[in-house]
Amino acid sequence: MENKMEWWKQTSIYQIYPWSFQDSNGDGIGDLPGILTRLDQIRDLGVETIWFSPFYKSPGEDFGYDISDYTSIDPRFGTMDDCDKLIREIHKRKMKVVLDMVMNHTSDKHPWFLESKSSKENPKRDFYIWHKGEKKVPNNWISMVGTSGWNYDETTDESYYSNFLSFQPDLNYRNPKVKKSMFGVLDFWLNKGVDGFRLDIFNSIYKDEGFRDNPSSFRYFPTPDNHDEAFFQKKQYNLNLPESFQFAKEVRKHISKYKQKPFLIGEVSGSDKILKSFLGEKADGLNLVFQFELIHFDYKAQFFKDLLEKNEREFPAPYTPTYVLGNHDQRRFIDRLGGDVRKAKVLSAFQFLARGIPVVYYGDEIGRKEGRIPNFFGKDPIAKMNRFVPLFLCNLLGIYINRDNCRLPMLWDTTEQAGFSKGKPWLPVGQFQTEDTVVYQKTKNDSLWNHYRSLFHLRKTSSVLKEGNIKTKLSHHADVLCFERTLGKIVVIVYLNFGEKEIKETVSKGSKLLYSFGGAEVLGDKLQLTGHSGAVFEIRLKK
Ligand code: NOJ
């Protein structure tokens, strides 16, 4: 059957955090030549699209999310030649490349900002959001990290706005020259052949022109999928503005003329209604948005059933849901599961077999665990701000502060520094066992790495899993989630057991077992699902 669906609706995404993936020159920081040496392994895992966290020139105060030059490579990571080669080699291996694009803000060391802050008359003054009135803090806007978003600058006796950290001044998209410059940046990379962009805090692009005060709210802590009410404020005027929804369409239109058919995946947060506004009423906005429900899952079949049904209700085709289990800002998912690899297999199977795009954070395929670095010793700027908050309190309140802990180096093998570097890693590799490494897990059929490999390949080779519709099915057992994917005359049926107890399900006639894990077995017409196991069947319908 000819496959007509756009490629990005069928892909799987693997996120690489360049700082921590593979160091090639012994300086303890991962780099592009290092990544190049691992490309075959990434391909063998079955990855289709690689998303790179930023490797552009940057002071590195927020580890690359503070860019000082959008069109050059930070020397820590290599050169533009390395980058060109990386793009070429990824394409050679039939994978796609997505770059992280931080459009909302630059570093305060970006030449645009240095010019902008030098004088009120500077032609770049309006590249950023300066408040022109008398007041140093013109309104009550709180940034996404809980501080005032206004930053007083002595040079011109005015304040500039930053929706994240103070060294990340927000660009002013009401200035057409800013838009033009940013579109120029996108063109630069699209002309190099990249296949898409992950758009950092895209919900923050526009701010209210009239600088109106935000209304108050009872809610203090933000969650990964809700920043729009936090720190006792409804972020009505500094997040999710209608102009940002409109801008999503403009960016989509701008990039869609490129022959590689690139796509945009937005980091936006909020209600489904807000996410949909970014995707556009006619699915003409951002191609995809990250959906973070799996960051705070309740490990129960009912939770996943509800999630599937909700996504089909709110984001039916042509919308494509995304399933994100982790990223460089969140506690590692294996730790959220108490280290239980059996559960990690069930969860990742859900992520790969549902209708939508699985987004995998490097190291999750081997169950890479969190570090235990206290905020006090954190390199992460958010940890530095909260230096005196003890880890146990963060855990108690369920808040995640020191992001160093989810950014530890990849565990490749049992040599020194786990094969990550010949030098002293920028973050400690931490304690690990032989079984935690890629090299070991590759040799064990029932390892998490091999499970991920099977899932990546299953999706890759099944048009039903890529394109088919989805329907949840009733199981007689509360712990079992069952759903069907259908395309034409082929049906794929998935059973996942979220419980400890062994459960038997009757298998429909003519079913062919495609994959099973965790000890699930077919005996005659019965599927025996041991605790935390799963199975995938295919049926070819006659008519
Ligand atoms: C979201 C990114 O994921 C995070 O790592 C970064 O610190 C902020 N945006 C600011 O760019």
Side-chain angles (χ1 to χ4, degrees), residues 62 65 102 105 164 168 198 200-201 267 328-329 403 407:
D62 191 16
Y65 286 92
V102 187
H105 52 263
F164 210 72
Q168 292 161 314
R198 177 260 185 195
D200 190 70
I201 56 170
E267 188 202 23
H328 61 293
D329 296 328
R403 299 173 299 173
R407 299 171 177 179

Side-chain angles (χ1 to χ4, degrees), residues 410-443:
M410 184 65 172
L411 301 175
W412 293 106
D413 56 42
T414 51
T415 60
E416 217 168 312
Q417 311 302 356
F420 164 68
S421 172
K422 296 249 179 302
K424 182 170 179 282
W426 74 288
L427 285 177
V429 163
Q431 284 188 343
F432 67 96
Q433 317 285 326
T434 306
E435 301 84 72
D436 298 329
T437 61
V438 176
V439 83
Y440 177 87
Q441 293 199 17
K442 275 180 145 181
T443 63

Side-chain angles (χ1 to χ4, degrees), residues 34 63 66 72 108 128 131 134-135 155 164 204 223 273 299-300 318 322 364 391-392 486 509 519:
F63 299 94
D66 48 330
S72 65
D108 62 356
Y128 295 85
H131 187 259
E134 292 270 284
K135 289 204 228 153
T155 329
F164 210 72
S204 162
T223 61
K273 187 164 170 253
Y299 185 81
K300 290 200 177 95
T322 62
D364 278 355
L391 260 190
F392 86 86
T486 310
K509 259 207 183 131

Side-chain angles (χ1 to χ4, degrees), residues 57-70:
K57 194 150 187 259
S58 155
E61 286 180 85
D62 191 16
F63 299 94
Y65 286 92
D66 48 330
I67 300 171
S68 55
D69 183 350
Y70 287 84

Side-chain angles (χ1 to χ4, degrees), residues 146-378:
T147 51
S148 165
W150 292 102
N151 309 278
Y152 177 67
D153 185 58
E154 274 179 353
T155 329
T156 55
D157 190 30
E158 274 183 3
S159 298
Y160 66 88
Y161 190 71
S162 63
N163 232 350
F164 210 72
L165 292 156
S166 56
F167 56 81
Q168 292 161 314
D170 282 22
L171 284 161
N172 172 18
Y173 280 87
R174 299 191 188 273
N175 177 352
K177 288 188 187 144
V178 169
K179 258 192 208 176
K180 194 161 171 248
S181 307
M182 263 305 159
F183 282 152
V185 169
L186 300 182
D187 291 336
F188 175 87
W189 289 106
L190 289 165
N191 284 324
K192 283 191 180 286
V194 306
D195 303 287
F197 299 105
R198 177 260 185 195
L199 302 176
D200 190 70
I201 56 170
F202 196 78
N203 48 341
S204 162
I205 292 278
Y206 277 89
K207 271 59 70 170
D208 183 49
E209 215 172 359
F211 296 106
R212 282 172 282 184
D213 270 336
N214 278 332
S216 47
S217 146
F218 286 116
R219 204 185 156 116
Y220 187 75
F221 290 118
T223 61
D225 50 7
N226 187 357
H227 269 279
D228 40 338
E229 245 187 270
F231 308 115
F232 300 132
Q233 230 172 64
K234 282 199 181 103
K235 310 278 190 82
Q236 193 171 329
Y237 296 118
N238 59 346
L239 280 186
N240 298 322
L241 268 80
E243 293 94 320
S244 298
F245 306 151
Q246 187 52 38
F247 188 54
K249 293 183 188 170
E250 270 181 69
V251 184
R252 168 84 170 261
K253 191 156 171 242
H254 183 83
I255 67 158
S256 56
K257 55 182 186 269
Y258 282 84
K259 69 171 186 315
Q260 65 265 44
K261 303 266 176 268
F263 78 104
L264 304 168
I265 177 163
E267 188 202 23
V268 296
S269 61
S271 62
D272 286 336
K273 187 164 170 253
I274 288 175
L275 299 193
K276 230 165 161 175
S277 305
F278 279 108
L279 294 168
E281 330 58 63
K282 297 193 195 117
D284 52 351
L286 303 180
N287 305 64
L288 301 169
V289 293
F290 290 114
Q291 288 171 261
F292 292 124
E293 287 100 338
L294 293 188
I295 299 289
H296 46 77
F297 53 78
D298 183 10
Y299 185 81
K300 290 200 177 95
Q302 189 66 43
F303 172 90
F304 295 92
K305 181 169 182 280
D306 292 347
L307 178 59
L308 283 184
E309 289 171 357
K310 189 273 292 177
N311 274 346
E312 289 312 300
R313 212 170 42 242
E314 300 295 331
F315 303 97
Y319 296 104
T320 309
T322 62
Y323 291 97
V324 182
L325 267 175
N327 64 31
H328 61 293
D329 296 328
Q330 304 298 334
R331 193 183 308 282
R332 286 271 179 187
F333 96 109
I334 193 78
D335 284 68
R336 284 181 269 134
L337 284 168
D340 195 330
V341 174
R342 299 170 314 155
K343 293 183 180 173
K345 286 185 178 171
V346 176
L347 216 57
S348 46
F350 171 83
Q351 187 193 22
F352 274 77
L353 301 168
R355 185 184 78 84
I357 308 293
V359 185
V360 178
Y361 182 47
Y362 86 95
D364 278 355
E365 74 276 25
I366 49 168
R368 212 281 174 237
K369 294 194 186 74
E370 280 279 302
R372 296 277 176 271
I373 307 169
N375 296 347
F376 191 81
F377 297 109

Side-chain angles (χ1 to χ4, degrees), residues 388-404:
F388 296 106
V389 183
L391 260 190
F392 86 86
L393 190 63
C394 302
N395 294 341
L396 196 74
L397 294 171
I399 49 174
Y400 193 59
I401 290 187
N402 186 3
R403 299 173 299 173
D404 291 357

